[in-house]
């Protein structure tokens, strides 16, 4: 045993890997089910990088050493393998027995062998009390993806893989491919019917929401009625098909806000005669839950505008570094009291003293520009009309307000603001953590109605995760949902991206 362990430690120092035959040569190691790698694992020219080419159990079956075709080699715990196999979960993806965790450490590996040209690994177990157990099969691609996180690397110069911490996101890799844009941007367009039926189109759409941050969806059509609880249904139904339900407002009956051009608007937000500064929405909600914003033109043809917060932030960073520092460090407050709906969720007239709204408070204190854990600009939170009383330190007030005024002017600068025609029956979608929008220009005498819905970031990221799993399973049916779900994003991306 001691000699065997010394050989195993030598692998960590970059020594040549012992063969499975040498690993199983002592009486302390359980016999391994092994065949010639050239037979079971295929020839080097046909093997996938993740194919298992050799394996051996060590330490009385407590660990398993697995070698892959890309010359990586890992030592993994037998109990982890037993605990992680999809056989532990049912059709609902929940674990079938909460008591399994009590006995999983009593299993030892009694044998292992590659199968199917190395695309699978069969592992036989023996329970310390119950005796031999049925062999279980592992996907080699899945094992290869998980190994750097759960195994001990034994191959020379193995790169350090950070431990899985936090949830991560399959969309993270898109952040570095974002391209800032100005007034001349060509807004991407997507067909609603294609989006509702095509997985690849949906993937392209969600990637566009990170890379560009704005798009138009055509072919949504007109609602059957322009009444408050019906006017936004085409938008809501479309979003449900490609993503999920829109966020539910705390009071309103609908999952969308609804703005109609009327003689007496409900509030400043709904007043078409009041030009709104360029802004992002949900600034008053802590954390800014509205990640994607869907704006559906239910009635009327208008001309509207958007600008790219990423482009403006980069401009400020380059030309006004002191202002940029203040916009990223100083926290301001957006706050309001929402009193626009009755307890039953119907709109009220807040200027009418006889109208009884179901009020609730909102407050969010934050910097204008927020960053992710990698230091990349992640969120722009800007709305001058919703800016509350900001408790700015005395010494910081004047320099910050100078920086804020600069920022507020730049988001209106014609160099950055893109104007576009917005036909009836279409929908504009923005990444509300990046792209600012303003009030649409409505031609005189034209009726207009627009419905607005939001979806939080977690829902968007998990939808993208599901779509990439669908694509991976389509490309390799053996890597089905049993292997692709229930794993951390950091490991999943090694299988699907």
């Amino acid at each position: 045993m001691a000699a065997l362990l010394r050989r195993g430690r030598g692998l960590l120092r970059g020594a040549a890997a012992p063969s499975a035959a040498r690993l199983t040569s002592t009486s302390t190691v359980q016999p391994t089910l092994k065949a010639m790698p050239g037979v079971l694992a295929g020839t080097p020219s046909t093997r996938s990088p993740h194919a298992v080419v050799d394996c051996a159990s060590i330490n009385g079956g407590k660990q398993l050493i697995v070698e892959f075709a890309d010359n990586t080699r890992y030592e993994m715990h037998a109990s982890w393998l037993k605990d992680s196999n999809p056989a532990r979960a049912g059709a609902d993806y929940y674990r079938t027995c909460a008591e399994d965790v009590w006995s999983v450490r009593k299993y030892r590996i009694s044998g292992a062998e590659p199968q199917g040209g190395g695309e699978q690994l069969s592992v036989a177990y023996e329970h310390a009390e119950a005796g031999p157990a049925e062999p279980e099969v592992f996907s080699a691609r899945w094992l290869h993806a998980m190994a750097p996180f759960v195994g001990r690397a034994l191959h020379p110069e193995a790169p350090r893989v950070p431990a899985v911490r936090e949830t991560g996101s399959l969309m993270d890799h898109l952040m570095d491919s974002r391209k800032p844009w100005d007034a001349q941007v060509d807004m991407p367009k997507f067909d609603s019917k294609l989006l509702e039926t095509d997985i690849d189109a949906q993937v392209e759409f969600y990637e566009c929401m990170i890379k560009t941050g704005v798009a138009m969806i055509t072919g949504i059509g007109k609602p059957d009625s322009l009444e408050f609880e019906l006017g936004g249904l085409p938008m809501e139904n479309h979003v449900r098909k490609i993503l999920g339900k829109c966020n539910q407002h705390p009071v309103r009956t609908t999952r969308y806000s609804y703005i109609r051009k009327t003689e007496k608007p409900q509030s400043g937000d709904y007043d078409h005669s009041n030009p709104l500064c360029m802004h992002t929405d949900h600034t008053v909600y802590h954390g800014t839950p509205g990640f994607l914003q869907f704006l559906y033109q239910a009635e009327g043809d208008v001309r509207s505008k958007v600008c790219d917060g990423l482009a403006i932030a980069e401009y400020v960073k380059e030309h006004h570094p002191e202002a940029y520092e203040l916009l990223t460090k100083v926290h301001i407050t957006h706050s309001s009291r929402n009193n626009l709906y009755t307890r039953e969720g119907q709109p009220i007239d807040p200027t009418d003293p006889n109208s009884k709204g179901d009020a609730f408070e909102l407050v969010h204190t934050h910097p204008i520009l927020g960053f992710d854990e990698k230091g990349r600009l992640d969120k722009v939170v800007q709305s001058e009309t919703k800016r509350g009383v900001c408790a700015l330190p005395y010494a910081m007030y004047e320099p910050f307000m100078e920086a804020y005024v600069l920022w507020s002017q730049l988001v209106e600068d014609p160099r950055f603001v893109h104007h576009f025609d917005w036909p009836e029956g279409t929908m504009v979608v923005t990444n509300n953590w990046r792209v600012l929008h303003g009030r649409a220009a409505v031609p005189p005498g034209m009726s207009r109605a627009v419905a607005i819905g939001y979806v939080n970031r977690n829902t968007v990221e998990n939808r993208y995760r599901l779509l990439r799993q669908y694509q991976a399973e389509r490309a390799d049916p053996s890597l089905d949902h049993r292997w692709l779900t229930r794993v951390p994003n950091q490991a999943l991306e090694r299988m699907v991206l």
Side-chain angles (χ1 to χ4, degrees):
M1 172 68 79
L4 180 63
L5 291 176
R6 284 196 296 272
R7 287 200 296 273
R9 301 301 179 263
L11 293 173
L12 285 172
R13 295 191 297 269
S19 68
R22 291 203 301 274
L23 282 169
T24 58
S25 63
T26 70
S27 59
T28 59
V29 178
Q30 296 289 340
T32 301
L33 298 176
K34 187 179 85 68
M36 295 298 291
V39 177
L40 281 179
T43 62
S45 61
T46 61
R47 294 176 193 152
S48 302
H50 60 261
V52 176
V53 297
D54 213 347
C55 58
S57 60
I58 61 172
N59 297 336
K62 291 180 64 176
Q63 281 84 33
L64 181 71
I65 292 179
V66 181
E67 182 177 348
F68 298 97
D70 63 358
N71 295 320
T72 58
R73 187 182 300 107
Y74 296 92
E75 178 182 323
M76 289 176 276
H77 293 291
S79 57
W80 178 86
L81 289 164
K82 185 70 175 177
D83 184 58
S84 303
N85 192 281
R88 306 287 82 75
D92 56 4
Y93 304 105
Y94 300 154
R95 288 185 179 269
T96 55
C97 180
E99 296 179 359
D100 280 350
V101 69
W102 299 349
S103 63
V104 69
R105 287 176 295 176
K106 296 181 180 180
Y107 285 93
R108 297 292 183 266
I109 293 175
S110 58
E113 64 174 342
Q115 293 182 345
E119 292 296 319
Q120 295 178 325
L121 177 67
S122 177
V123 178
Y125 296 94
E126 184 164 332
H127 190 274
E129 300 166 0
E134 288 293 322
E136 293 183 346
V137 175
F138 292 84
S139 162
R141 186 187 293 270
W142 177 89
L143 205 58
H144 184 263
M146 295 297 305
F149 301 100
V150 305
R152 181 170 59 179
L154 303 178
H155 48 284
E157 300 179 358
R160 179 182 175 275
V161 176
V164 172
R165 299 185 186 278
E166 303 297 335
T167 303
S169 172
L170 289 189
M171 300 185 106
D172 182 73
H173 74 287
L174 300 170
M175 294 288 285
D176 294 325
S177 60
R178 295 179 299 174
K179 290 182 171 51
W181 47 266
D182 59 18
Q184 306 306 315
V185 67
D186 184 13
M187 185 185 295
K189 291 182 172 60
F190 294 86
D191 176 73
S192 62
K193 300 301 183 291
L194 181 64
L195 273 181
E196 291 174 5
T197 57
D198 189 87
I199 291 173
D200 297 329
Q202 290 184 26
V203 168
E204 181 184 356
F205 169 72
Y206 291 116
E207 292 184 347
C208 173
M209 285 297 99
I210 303 299
K211 293 179 179 180
T212 306
V214 66
M216 178 177 288
I217 300 178
T218 62
I220 300 293
K222 297 176 62 175
D224 294 334
S225 170
L226 291 170
E227 293 303 313
F228 169 66
E229 294 192 350
L230 299 174
L233 289 184
M235 175 203 72
E236 191 173 5
N237 292 336
H238 176 74
V239 175
R240 179 67 184 88
K241 291 175 182 177
I242 68 169
L243 179 54
K245 292 182 179 180
C246 294
N247 295 353
Q248 179 61 60
H249 188 275
V251 176
R252 193 171 54 224
T253 57
T254 61
R255 292 182 179 272
Y256 53 83
S257 61
Y258 195 52
I259 306 173
R260 294 189 70 181
K261 185 180 178 183
T262 61
E263 292 183 1
K264 191 173 185 180
Q266 188 183 14
S267 74
D269 268 358
Y270 297 77
D271 186 357
H272 283 80
S273 66
N274 175 31
L276 281 177
C277 298
M278 299 294 282
H279 63 283
T280 57
D281 281 358
H282 279 197
T283 52
V284 294
Y285 288 87
H286 181 66
T288 319
F291 179 62
L292 288 193
Q293 177 189 51
F294 297 85
L295 303 106
Y296 164 56
Q297 191 80 348
E299 181 186 32
D301 296 322
V302 302
R303 188 164 176 80
S304 196
K305 55 186 178 179
V306 290
C307 67
D308 184 13
L310 175 64
I312 299 171
E314 291 192 355
Y315 176 87
V316 175
K317 182 178 182 180
E318 179 179 355
H319 298 281
H320 306 276
E322 296 87 358
Y324 180 81
E325 186 77 6
L326 292 168
L327 293 170
T328 64
K329 297 291 174 52
V330 178
H331 289 234
I332 68 169
T333 295
H334 286 92
S335 181
S336 71
R337 178 174 296 178
N338 189 292
N339 193 30
L340 301 177
Y341 300 91
T342 65
R343 184 171 293 275
E344 293 73 30
Q346 297 299 314
I348 70 167
D349 177 4
T351 65
D352 182 356
N354 296 318
S355 295
K356 301 299 181 183
D358 191 13
F360 61 93
E361 277 282 312
L362 292 165
V363 63
H364 182 202
T365 299
H366 54 87
I368 296 292
L369 304 177
F371 296 83
D372 65 13
E373 65 280 358
K374 295 183 179 179
R376 301 170 299 195
L377 181 66
D378 188 46
K379 186 189 297 185
V380 176
V381 188
Q382 165 70 16
S383 179
E384 175 56 19
T385 59
K386 301 275 194 334
R387 187 167 60 90
V389 178
C390 300
L392 298 172
Y394 179 86
M396 196 68 69
Y397 176 77
E398 289 187 342
F400 173 78
M401 289 306 293
E402 184 176 346
Y404 179 72
V405 169
L406 170 68
W407 169 263
S408 299
Q409 291 172 340
L410 285 172
V411 300
E412 307 286 346
D413 193 311
R415 293 174 295 174
F416 296 107
V417 177
H418 172 68
H419 294 265
F420 63 94
D421 293 323
W422 188 1
E424 185 176 86
T426 63
M427 183 157 61
V428 174
V429 189
T430 71
N431 178 336
N432 187 55
W433 283 18
R434 170 180 171 180
V435 173
L436 294 78
H437 64 281
R439 174 77 75 203
V442 184
M446 176 171 285
S447 298
R448 194 222 180 181
V450 60
I452 308 171
Y454 307 89
V455 178
N456 62 35
R457 184 169 188 166
N458 179 62
T459 300
V460 174
E461 290 180 335
N462 282 323
R463 176 65 182 182
Y464 183 74
R465 172 185 163 106
L466 177 64
L467 294 170
R468 293 310 299 253
Q469 289 181 42
Y470 285 159
Q471 287 183 321
E473 185 172 352
R474 183 181 62 193
D476 181 4
S478 68
L479 191 71
D480 63 19
H481 57 95
R482 298 174 304 158
W483 299 104
L484 294 172
T485 192
R486 301 173 61 246
V487 300
N489 281 318
Q490 293 87 339
L492 181 62
E493 69 179 5
R494 288 171 52 86
M495 292 185 272
V496 302
L497 298 184

